[in-house]
Amino acid sequence: MAGAIAPGSRVALPAEYAGVSMAMTRAMIACGHGDLHLVCVPTGGLQVDMLIGAGLVSCVETSALSLGEAGGAPRFNEAVKPSTKP
């Protein structure tokens, strides 16, 4: 299934509480198809953060991205942090 997601695809992802398939997340990372445009319905969490950390995401549409009680999503936060380099 994950192999059917082509590079540059727009992928809708459910909220964490909707039973996100982490097996599918691992398979997507293993396929390595990048430049993904993620649409979080309505929010994103660990799945989105893992895909960002794997370097597969070019765009995220979401109202929020959080790891819930574990706090902010570190890969997402790093990706959107303004560069301090001149």
Side-chain angles (χ1 to χ4, degrees), residues 4 7 10-11 14 20 22 26 29 37 40 60 65-66 68 74 76 82:
R10 182 174 293 177
V11 181
V20 170
M22 293 309 289
R26 285 190 301 275
I29 292 169
H37 179 140
C40 303
V60 177
L65 201 126
S66 170
F76 174 78

Side-chain angles (χ1 to χ4, degrees), residues 3 10 19 21 23 26 45-46 50 53 58-59 61 69 72 79 83 85-86:
R10 182 174 293 177
S21 170
R26 285 190 301 275
L46 180 60
M50 288 178 66
S58 64
C59 179
E61 288 184 51
E69 292 177 357
S83 175
K85 298 177 184 175

Side-chain angles (χ1 to χ4, degrees), residues 4 9 21 24 36 43 46 48-49 51-52 57 61 67 71-72 84 86:
S9 292
S21 170
M24 181 65 160
L36 299 177
T43 62
L46 180 60
V48 176
D49 209 47
L51 292 169
I52 291 169
V57 179
E61 288 184 51
L67 300 184
T84 57

Side-chain angles (χ1 to χ4, degrees), residues 17 19 26 28-29 32 35 38 44 47-48 62-63 65 70 79 86:
Y17 54 80
R26 285 190 301 275
M28 289 170 68
I29 292 169
D35 195 29
L38 303 182
Q47 182 180 32
V48 176
T62 187
S63 60
L65 201 126

